[in-house]
Amino acid sequence: MKKLSFRGGIHPLAKRHEGKAETSGKPIRDFVAECVCIPMDMHMGPPCKPCVQQGEHVKLGQVIGEAVGRFGIPAHASVSGVVTAVGPVQQLRAQPSLCVTIRNDFKDELAALEALGDVESAPKHRIIPAIQAAGICGMGGAGFPTHAKLRLPEGKAVDTIILNGAECETFLTCDHRLMLESPGRIVDGLRAVMRAMGVARGVIAIEDNKPDAIESMRRAAQGRDGVEVAVLKTKYPQGGEKQLVTAVTGREVPGGGLPMDARAVVINVGTAAAIADTVIEGKPLISRVTTVTGAVKDPSNLRLRVGTAFADAIKSAGGYREAPGKIFAGGSMTGTCAPDDSVSATKGTNGIVTLTEREADAAREIQCIRCGRCVMICPARIMPYRLMELYERGELNTAKQEHVKDCIQCGSCSYVCPSKRRLLPSIKSAIEQLARRRNR
Amino acid sequence: MTLPLSTGPHILGKRTTRGIMLDVLIALTPAAAAGVYLFGVRAAWVLGVAVASAVATEALWQRLSHRPLQVGDLSAVVTGLLLGLNLPSSAPLWLAAVGSAFAIVVVKQLFGGIGHNFLNPALAARAVLLTSWPARMTTFFLPERTLLPVASTAMVGDAVTSATPLVKSGTAMIDLFWGNIPGTIGEVCKAAILIGFIYLLVRNVIGPHIPVLFVGTVALMTWLLGGDPLTAILSGGVLLGAVFMATDYVTNPMLIVSQCLFAALCGVIVVVIRQSAGGYPEGVTYAILLMNVLTPLLDKLFKRRAYGEVKQRA
Ligand code: SF4
Ligand code: SF4
């Protein structure tokens, strides 16, 4: 069987099964916290406007933050209970986020949206608005509002919907478990999107280190119109949007462009399942599967209500095995560091990983020895060592000419560098400075 | 609880610069051991002094210039050992010491230290020694012992000097291969160099392309010019240079294509020097140094297409 892939890439934590062995066999378990703190800026774009007050009683699924603007999506109560606070709380972003805190009464009184019914018969034109109303955004991490991705600008056409089941990031097994436990829902979500966009081909792309998931999705895809499963080579960052488009369609996303510029749309498998839940049951996005692992006693895949504190999730995973030296949301390649464990899991939190102090100890950085490793593996095929040099010398214009903006921020270069150069942070700063310069 | 915030990746690969240098040292061990076996204790002294001088000079330099002490990265050890392996066993010990000190201070540290030198330090030092003390650098002892198997042509004897290490045409291939010939400490035993080469490949320290193209070009060019390709690659420092010096990360180009061109040109220059200088032995040193100088140019000339680049312009 042909295995699809891209050029470049690495095998992070190869000797530790990418950090996945501890959780890949663990079935998804529900966890409901006593209290949730829901940020209004869980998605990319304008944050929601809170529409509930302190002391107010809310139902499960009730809108607590209204969508702002055409790209905005609402936030919903992920538990029923009483609003105890509306105000800024330090989350994963640099500045505190406006949050709505709800104490759970564990009644789970439901305020569902209107269901559209079976994905094959639901009215096509109502699917994308329903996705927006359900507050669905990309669940692979970035949190781009899904309806905005599906609503193509004038003149753009797409011929392939790709479901991203690669899960190439280290430590994460939430998508893997979802593909084993709810394959039907994932295919339903894909079909809903295909129908809404009028696209005939849907590809579920999975890395070959998950043969059980491939098997499970194949079975679920049987007899469904235009749905196929593609097997990818296990390699990081195989699940990067651009890499996935290239692996599946053979086309490249033009520099500075989006997958739709290569006539494809990429959606995470978790997002697809959430879309199916909305279309079939009218369920807004109020929970998601998160892999809680690392230096915890009982690494787990938990279905967490949106807004669950990291501390509660970690407690449910047996608590700390050792005092944490670092905690991040996501995998170890691109995860975002948490300042402490009080922050909330959001719609995009696919993993909560803790490292021991020893593991978190930063290695000393020395000079580049021009070994070429970063150059060899960069999936964007730019020159990481050189861009870092240019950034350090302040030569941002040259860096721009040398395609610094095409960096997909996968971190592979930093990972392989024997001199432990902080390549990605420098490249990221260069990109940010260029963006700021343009805005000025 | 306040935890450190940093940009990913949060766990880095296991490979370190020190680890790579250690691998290179391990790979050089067979060649060094063979040299000591063939040329006797004197060779061990030359190697030892070269290494010690390189490490001491680097430590002293970093101390005096108030830079962090970085000898722990082992790169000075590699430089010292490489220089030692490029000296004849007859070399006076002060020559080894001076050569290493020159390599570290002038070629490496004055240009900014590890990673910033544009010439291979060991080779540049060897070239300077050759110019300054040509007689001492080209007096070669014959091996004291031989490595088996030996053909009848093996040249053994004690303290007989030979003016040129390019052996006379009658020498059996087998002696060229095992190192039963006069030459520098590290270059004579091709078997040992090949063991080191295989180790570097297995440990993924280098790819095969540079040594293969370098040696291949020498063989091809020699054959085209009517010489014997096998003798050409087994004599002099071709193999040692191709495996250990042309593959030096710091002084060769970054992209695989430009590395291939670099290696092939090295081979061409070696043959040109050998032809024009009538068997001049140090062609390899100058060939690699010349290509070191051209490396920044090769890095500039060869650009690869970034992901998504062409279509953007279309
Ligand atoms: S430069 Fe960017 S795209 Fe290339 S390896 Fe580094 S982080 Fe990934
Ligand atoms: S991997 Fe590190 S040492 Fe090697 S070329 Fe890149 S930046 Fe330099």
Side-chain angles (χ1 to χ4, degrees):
Chain A
M1 181 185 18
K2 195 170 152 250
K3 286 174 190 162
L4 306 172
S5 198
F6 65 101
R7 278 162 67 188
I10 60 171
H11 298 275
L13 310 189
K15 294 211 177 96
R16 291 174 63 180
H17 300 276
E18 293 109 42
K20 296 173 192 266
E22 292 83 354
T23 53
S24 59
K26 297 266 185 77
I28 298 166
R29 174 157 63 79
D30 279 316
F31 171 71
V32 186
E34 269 169 36
C35 184
V36 292
C37 174
I38 303 171
M40 296 292 104
D41 56 2
M42 291 186 280
H43 58 279
M44 212 187 261
C48 312
K49 205 165 109 255
C51 54
V52 289
Q53 253 121 56
Q54 192 177 347
E56 196 175 325
H57 183 270
V58 292
K59 287 183 170 172
L60 176 65
Q62 182 181 330
V63 173
I64 55 169
E66 284 166 353
V68 173
R70 230 159 51 85
F71 284 119
I73 50 171
H76 305 81
S78 59
V79 296
S80 61
V82 178
V83 175
T84 56
V86 178
V89 177
Q90 181 61 50
Q91 298 289 356
L92 291 171
R93 295 180 195 271
Q95 301 300 321
S97 307
L98 189 54
C99 294
V100 172
T101 309
I102 308 168
R103 179 147 25 81
N104 193 354
D105 63 9
F106 290 95
K107 291 194 183 125
D108 275 359
E109 293 168 79
L110 189 67
L113 301 165
E114 191 196 339
L116 303 180
D118 188 84
V119 291
E120 300 296 345
S121 55
K124 285 181 190 177
H125 66 281
R126 293 189 55 193
I127 294 176
I128 295 180
I131 289 171
Q132 179 173 17
I136 296 175
C137 58
M139 288 161 74
F144 191 80
T146 302
H147 73 276
K149 199 182 234 183
L150 303 185
R151 214 174 262 151
L152 297 180
E154 213 53 60
K156 294 278 178 195
V158 157
D159 60 16
T160 311
I161 311 283
I162 303 171
L163 281 202
N164 188 352
E167 201 163 55
C168 60
E169 245 290 11
T170 55
F171 290 103
L172 307 181
T173 55
C174 51
D175 290 349
H176 185 182
R177 291 311 308 180
L178 205 62
M179 288 189 282
L180 292 180
E181 297 178 34
S182 312
R185 274 290 148 112
I186 294 171
V187 177
D188 282 342
L190 174 58
R191 282 296 301 156
V193 172
M194 287 165 71
R195 288 191 59 234
M197 298 185 72
V199 173
R201 183 176 183 226
V203 181
I204 305 166
I206 310 170
E207 282 188 342
D208 62 357
N209 62 350
K210 295 179 268 292
D212 48 354
I214 293 169
E215 184 49 41
S216 160
M217 292 313 304
R218 278 227 168 99
R219 236 178 291 130
Q222 226 149 57
R224 306 293 298 259
D225 259 2
V227 178
E228 58 192 280
V229 172
V231 180
L232 307 168
K233 227 159 112 184
T234 300
K235 189 162 75 165
Y236 180 87
Q238 190 66 265
E241 278 199 335
K242 293 181 174 183
Q243 282 57 44
L244 208 52
V245 169
T246 303
V248 172
T249 68
R251 305 170 200 147
E252 277 190 5
V253 180
L258 293 168
M260 67 177 174
D261 297 311
R263 304 196 298 287
V265 162
V266 180
I267 300 171
N268 169 267
V269 288
T271 312
I275 289 171
D277 287 345
T278 297
V279 173
I280 299 168
E281 295 171 32
K283 197 177 140 206
L285 180 50
I286 50 168
S287 68
R288 67 153 299 143
V289 185
T290 301
T291 303
V292 185
T293 187
V296 295
K297 288 195 188 118
D298 179 24
S300 308
N301 290 301
L302 301 179
R303 185 177 292 280
L304 296 178
R305 299 291 172 94
V306 166
T308 304
F310 279 23
D312 291 337
I314 289 167
K315 218 173 280 162
S316 172
Y320 294 109
R321 198 183 60 213
E322 221 178 283
K326 207 182 218 185
I327 301 178
F328 45 87
S332 73
M333 294 301 294
T334 60
T336 311
C337 276
D340 55 46
D341 61 10
S342 70
V343 298
S344 301
T346 64
K347 295 171 180 176
T349 308
N350 42 15
I352 299 174
V353 183
T354 74
L355 297 184
T356 64
E357 277 168 19
R358 198 166 35 83
E359 286 171 319
D361 201 21
R364 183 168 151 220
E365 176 174 354
I366 63 169
Q367 296 92 323
C368 167
I369 55 165
R370 292 177 45 93
C371 72
R373 284 181 171 76
C374 58
V375 172
M376 191 112 73
I377 54 81
C378 175
R381 296 203 295 277
I382 54 180
M383 309 288 263
Y385 85 102
R386 163 113 175 121
L387 293 168
M388 178 166 180
E389 214 174 272
L390 291 171
Y391 169 71
E392 285 178 340
R393 293 207 303 250
E395 294 178 31
L396 287 181
N397 284 330
T398 318
K400 191 172 160 193
Q401 281 161 20
E402 299 196 6
H403 302 279
V404 70
K405 286 203 219 149
D406 287 332
C407 167
I408 60 161
Q409 313 208 353
C410 67
S412 303
C413 48
S414 294
Y415 182 87
V416 297
C417 177
S419 288
K420 311 296 158 197
R421 307 276 290 162
R422 307 295 194 261
L423 294 155
L424 173 57
S426 302
I427 290 168
K428 227 179 194 168
S429 304
I431 296 171
E432 282 162 12
Q433 284 182 20
L434 280 168
R436 235 175 287 143
R437 201 189 266 183
R438 200 187 43 211
N439 291 340
R440 226 182 286 137
Chain B
M1 180 192 294
T2 316
L3 299 168
L5 300 178
S6 63
T7 306
H10 305 293
I11 300 178
L12 299 179
K14 290 259 183 289
R15 185 144 246 169
T16 60
T17 294
R18 185 190 150 88
I20 289 170
M21 296 298 162
L22 192 63
D23 274 337
V24 174
L25 288 176
I26 293 172
L28 283 170
T29 305
V36 170
Y37 175 82
L38 291 165
F39 296 111
V41 187
R42 242 211 92 75
W45 276 106
V46 172
L47 296 180
V49 168
V51 170
S53 164
V55 174
T57 316
E58 176 151 299
L60 193 69
W61 172 269
Q62 283 165 350
R63 192 70 192 276
L64 293 180
S65 58
H66 304 287
R67 270 171 249 249
L69 195 67
Q70 240 177 294
V71 282
D73 64 28
L74 298 181
S75 66
V77 181
V78 171
T79 297
L81 187 57
L82 272 177
L83 176 68
L85 293 172
N86 273 293
L87 297 176
S89 62
S90 67
L93 297 183
W94 61 263
L95 196 71
V98 168
S100 277
F102 180 85
I104 293 295
V105 174
V106 180
V107 191
K108 185 179 171 190
Q109 295 297 346
L110 283 184
F111 284 93
I114 184 171
H116 293 276
N117 49 291
F118 72 99
L119 293 176
N120 179 299
L123 284 182
R126 185 191 193 204
V128 166
L129 297 182
L130 269 168
T131 325
S132 312
W133 294 280
R136 293 194 191 272
M137 287 295 287
T138 48
T139 301
F140 297 93
F141 288 156
L142 290 174
E144 292 180 357
R145 306 184 191 82
T146 53
L147 268 167
L148 293 172
V150 195
S152 54
T153 57
M155 293 179 277
V156 198
D158 44 8
V160 182
T161 60
S162 156
T164 165
L166 264 197
V167 279
K168 52 182 200 278
S169 51
T171 310
M173 242 22 114
I174 211 128
D175 289 322
L176 285 178
F177 184 71
W178 288 106
N180 302 326
I181 47 166
T184 73
I185 299 169
E187 76 186 10
V188 288
C189 185
K190 314 306 177 304
I193 295 169
L194 287 178
I195 293 171
F197 179 44
I198 291 166
Y199 178 80
L200 291 180
L201 290 180
V202 169
R203 298 281 304 154
N204 206 11
V205 173
I206 59 169
H209 56 292
I210 294 178
V212 167
L213 270 167
F214 190 150
V215 174
T217 311
V218 170
L220 183 72
M221 289 276 294
T222 309
W223 179 72
L224 287 177
L225 294 169
D228 175 30
L230 204 55
T231 312
I233 60 178
L234 288 180
S235 50
V238 172
L239 221 50
L240 185 69
V243 172
F244 289 101
M245 263 91 80
T247 55
D248 173 18
Y249 295 148
V250 180
T251 54
N252 71 26
M254 289 300 249
L255 292 178
I256 304 273
V257 272
S258 32
Q259 287 171 354
C260 289
L261 186 64
F262 172 96
L265 287 177
C266 279
V268 170
I269 300 170
V270 167
V271 177
V272 168
I273 294 177
R274 279 186 176 175
Q275 291 292 320
S276 56
Y280 190 66
E282 279 71 35
V284 175
T285 301
Y286 293 117
I288 298 175
L289 284 174
L290 197 62
M291 290 313 297
N292 287 167
V293 174
L294 291 181
T295 287
L297 188 68
L298 290 180
D299 273 341
K300 261 214 188 83
L301 286 179
F302 287 82
K303 298 271 178 218
R304 64 177 169 176
R305 190 181 65 86
Y307 175 100
E309 188 180 339
V310 165
K311 286 176 187 166
Q312 184 186 20
R313 289 191 189 139

